[in-house]
């Protein structure tokens, strides 16, 4: 794909024509069906055709280099594509951890063999990935992880467990941190790619307070992993893991700024909830002046956040990837998401307390479940406390209190 540079209208016309020819119009009425594969549900024929078309075009990963199957688009062109997709009711059917986290890290750190093996399945949405980082005894202090990978000649034998493994019950592969040297802490960790269909892998979903089970416990019992699935240097996995976390926080923050992860497509906005359930006064303003003030503050912060995310994305591109500033965006995005969902439930009043039943609409019950789910936004992808420490040390240059 050529870079149209400043002539984005030329690209807009191409994108519009391509969508007209390839996007099944019936899917516009069923946005959730478009991401069925990503979410582990059965695809309709139309949804499968749409995902494959986007994958072949490279527009599921629009800014990835064309040599790796991406669209090769500039940030500006990608925004134009997003705008044109929104106009026809199209969603990107390709995403997940392979796109958000592992893929960019693989492009940067992977061998040509690993890129050839794993990138095609990511850019076409055929292969889903999960992250094997946290353990029951190694959360915030991730470098204390104890899942072992024992060298057996041409392969490793992996034994241990991970927790909060998002989507492990749906994943085909796992990018996993393992201990390959017990004499060192950070320098004894390696990064392995594990086929989730391997004998000895067991996954147990964890039921959350909102009734969903996006997280899992994952157990590895003498799982055989060939050495060609070592990603990065032996005992050098910590460096790769930190880079991946930057991509993760960068992408999570962008998503949190626009809506909670996993929220329904037609979820209520703050303004819709306030206007529809609280009402307007004779001047056309929200009738509750205190809520009006807080909604206004939130909307201003959300807009500032969106503009900052866009600027950070442009800076990250010129700097060849996200920086430690991604921790700032992750922290701010988590707080914004929680504030937004709490405001919505407050505006709904007693209709915001429904779990199920005829007295509540789907959007009302979704609002409560989304609010409860958003409590985890300040934990996943690095807790807010850990991100503040990163900002303190890596961005502001303040001394580490542990070394004082």
């Amino acid at each position: 794909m050529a870079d149209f540079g400043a002539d984005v209208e030329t690209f807009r016309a191409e994108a519009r024509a391509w969508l007209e020819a390839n996007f099944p119009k019936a899917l516009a009425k069923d946005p959730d069906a478009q991401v069925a594969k990503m979410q582990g549900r059965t695809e309709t024929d139309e949804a499968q055709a749409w995902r494959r078309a986007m994958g072949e075009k490279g527009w599921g990963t629009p800014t990835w280099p064309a040599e790796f199957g991406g669209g090769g688009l500039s940030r500006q062109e990608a925004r134009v594509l997003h705008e044109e997709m929104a106009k026809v009711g199209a969603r990107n059917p390709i995403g997940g951890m392979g796109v958000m986290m592992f893929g960019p890290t693989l492009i940067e750190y992977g061998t040509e063999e690993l890129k050839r093996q794993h990138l095609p399945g990511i850019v076409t949405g055929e292969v889903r990935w999960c992250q094997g980082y946290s353990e029951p005894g190694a959360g915030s202090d991730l470098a204390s992880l104890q899942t072992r990978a024992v060298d057996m000649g041409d392969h490793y034998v992996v034994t241990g467990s991970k927790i909060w493994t998002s989507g492990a019950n749906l994943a085909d592969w796992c990018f996993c941190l393992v201990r390959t040297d017990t004499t060192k802490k950070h320098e004894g960790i390696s990064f392995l790619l594990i086929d989730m269909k391997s004998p000895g892998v067991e996954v147990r979903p964890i039921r959350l307070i909102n009734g969903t089970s996006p997280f899992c416990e994952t157990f590895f019992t003498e799982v055989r992993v060939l050495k060609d699935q070592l990603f990065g240097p032996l005992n050098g996995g910590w460096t790769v893991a930190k880079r991946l976390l930057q991509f993760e926080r960068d992408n999570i923050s962008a998503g949190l700024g626009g809506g909670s992860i996993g929220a329904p497509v037609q979820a209520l906005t703050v303004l819709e909830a306030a206007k529809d359930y609280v009402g307007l006064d004779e001047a056309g303003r929200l009738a509750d002046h205190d809520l009006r003030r807080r909604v206004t503050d939130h909307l201003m912060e959300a807009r500032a956040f969106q503009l900052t995310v866009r600027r950070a994305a442009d800076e990250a591109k010129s700097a060849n990837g996200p920086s430690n500033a991604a921790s700032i965006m992750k922290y701010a995005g988590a707080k914004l998401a929680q504030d937004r969902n709490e405001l919505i439930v407050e505006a709904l009043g007693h209709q915001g307390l429904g779990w199920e039943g005829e007295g509540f609409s789907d959007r009302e019950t979704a609002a409560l479940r989304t609010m409860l789910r958003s409590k985890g936004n300040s934990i996943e992808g690095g807790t807010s406390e850990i991100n503040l420490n990163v900002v303190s040390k890596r961005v502001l240059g303040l001394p580490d209190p542990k070394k004082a």
Side-chain angles (χ1 to χ4, degrees):
M1 169 63 63
D3 187 334
F4 290 92
D7 189 12
V8 294
E9 292 310 311
T10 301
F11 174 73
R12 187 183 299 277
E14 178 188 321
R16 191 173 295 163
W18 187 86
L19 289 168
E20 175 66 26
N22 291 275
F23 177 62
K25 294 180 176 58
L27 289 178
K29 299 178 181 179
D30 192 359
D32 284 336
Q34 299 179 42
V35 293
K37 174 75 172 180
M38 192 192 314
Q39 297 179 352
R41 293 179 283 110
T42 302
E43 287 181 304
T44 63
D45 292 341
E46 291 86 356
Q48 185 179 82
W50 170 232
R51 177 176 56 79
R52 288 179 174 174
M54 282 287 281
E56 291 172 4
K57 187 70 171 176
W59 283 359
T61 49
T63 59
W64 285 18
E67 64 183 295
F68 300 126
L73 303 183
S74 67
R75 294 275 181 181
Q76 191 174 17
E77 290 162 355
R79 284 198 292 270
V80 168
L81 174 62
H82 178 76
E83 292 168 0
E84 293 304 314
M85 289 174 62
K87 289 177 183 177
V88 298
R91 296 186 69 188
N92 187 346
I94 297 170
M97 293 189 181
V99 172
M100 290 175 55
M101 300 154 61
F102 179 58
T105 315
L106 179 59
I107 290 173
E108 187 169 330
Y109 281 94
T111 63
E112 290 304 312
E113 291 76 10
L114 287 176
K115 290 175 184 177
R116 285 196 298 270
Q117 179 183 359
H118 294 298
L119 283 174
I122 295 174
V123 299
T124 59
E126 291 288 344
V127 178
R128 290 170 298 208
W129 287 80
C130 65
Q131 178 187 39
Y133 271 31
S134 296
E135 298 182 3
S140 295
D141 185 15
L142 180 59
S144 295
L145 64 90
Q146 294 300 313
T147 295
R148 291 285 308 278
V150 179
D151 190 332
M152 301 298 289
D154 64 343
H155 66 280
Y156 297 102
V157 171
V158 179
T159 300
S161 67
K162 299 290 180 177
I163 198 166
W164 311 121
T165 320
S166 302
N169 55 326
L170 306 173
D172 304 293
W173 282 80
C174 176
F175 48 93
C176 189
L177 291 181
V178 297
R179 183 157 300 285
T180 44
D181 186 337
T182 59
T183 67
K184 301 176 182 178
K185 189 174 182 180
H186 296 79
E187 295 80 9
I189 295 171
S190 296
F191 201 116
L192 282 184
L193 310 181
I194 302 176
D195 186 340
M196 292 294 283
K197 295 182 291 295
S198 301
V201 177
E202 180 186 358
V203 177
R204 300 176 189 171
I206 301 171
R207 190 172 181 84
L208 301 186
I209 192 173
N210 71 339
T212 63
S213 301
F215 301 119
C216 302
E217 295 177 281
T218 306
F219 300 91
F220 302 104
T221 304
E222 296 185 353
V223 177
R224 187 175 185 271
V225 181
L226 293 177
K227 283 191 172 178
D228 62 5
Q229 297 306 307
L230 175 67
F231 180 42
L234 179 65
N235 297 322
W238 189 247
T239 298
V240 180
K242 289 192 297 181
R243 184 59 166 159
L244 185 142
L245 283 174
Q246 288 180 329
F247 284 114
E248 177 184 17
R249 289 165 182 166
D250 187 52
N251 281 284
I252 287 179
S253 66
L256 292 176
S260 294
I261 294 174
V265 177
Q266 302 299 324
L268 283 163
T269 67
V270 173
L271 275 179
E272 288 173 337
K275 290 179 179 179
D276 295 348
Y277 290 82
V278 176
L280 306 177
D281 63 16
E282 63 279 0
R285 303 171 301 184
L286 291 180
D288 185 325
H289 67 88
D290 179 63
L291 180 63
R292 181 170 72 234
R293 175 188 60 79
R294 288 183 289 124
V295 167
T296 301
D297 287 345
H298 170 75
L299 292 176
M300 288 192 296
E301 290 180 3
R303 180 58 176 161
F305 177 81
Q306 291 166 357
L307 293 173
T308 305
V309 166
R310 181 176 296 182
R311 185 177 71 248
D314 291 337
E315 292 173 354
K317 184 181 180 184
S318 62
N320 195 31
S323 66
N324 287 310
S327 293
I328 300 176
M329 308 312 297
K330 166 61 171 61
Y331 173 83
K335 185 177 185 304
L336 274 173
Q338 292 171 343
D339 289 347
R340 175 181 62 246
N341 292 313
E342 289 171 3
L343 281 170
I344 290 172
V345 170
E346 179 183 345
L348 294 181
H350 61 80
Q351 290 302 116
L353 302 177
W355 191 254
E356 60 187 4
E358 295 181 358
F360 303 94
S361 69
D362 290 343
R363 298 178 87 188
E364 290 167 348
T365 56
L368 177 61
R369 292 172 186 267
T370 299
M371 186 274 286
L372 292 172
R373 169 65 181 85
S374 70
K375 297 302 182 183
N377 294 158
S378 53
I379 300 174
E380 59 200 340
T383 66
S384 290
E385 292 77 12
I386 292 297
N387 281 311
L388 287 175
N389 283 340
V390 173
V391 172
S392 172
K393 292 186 289 185
R394 308 300 183 192
V395 179
L396 300 178
L398 300 177
D400 186 343
K402 295 179 181 178
K403 299 179 180 179

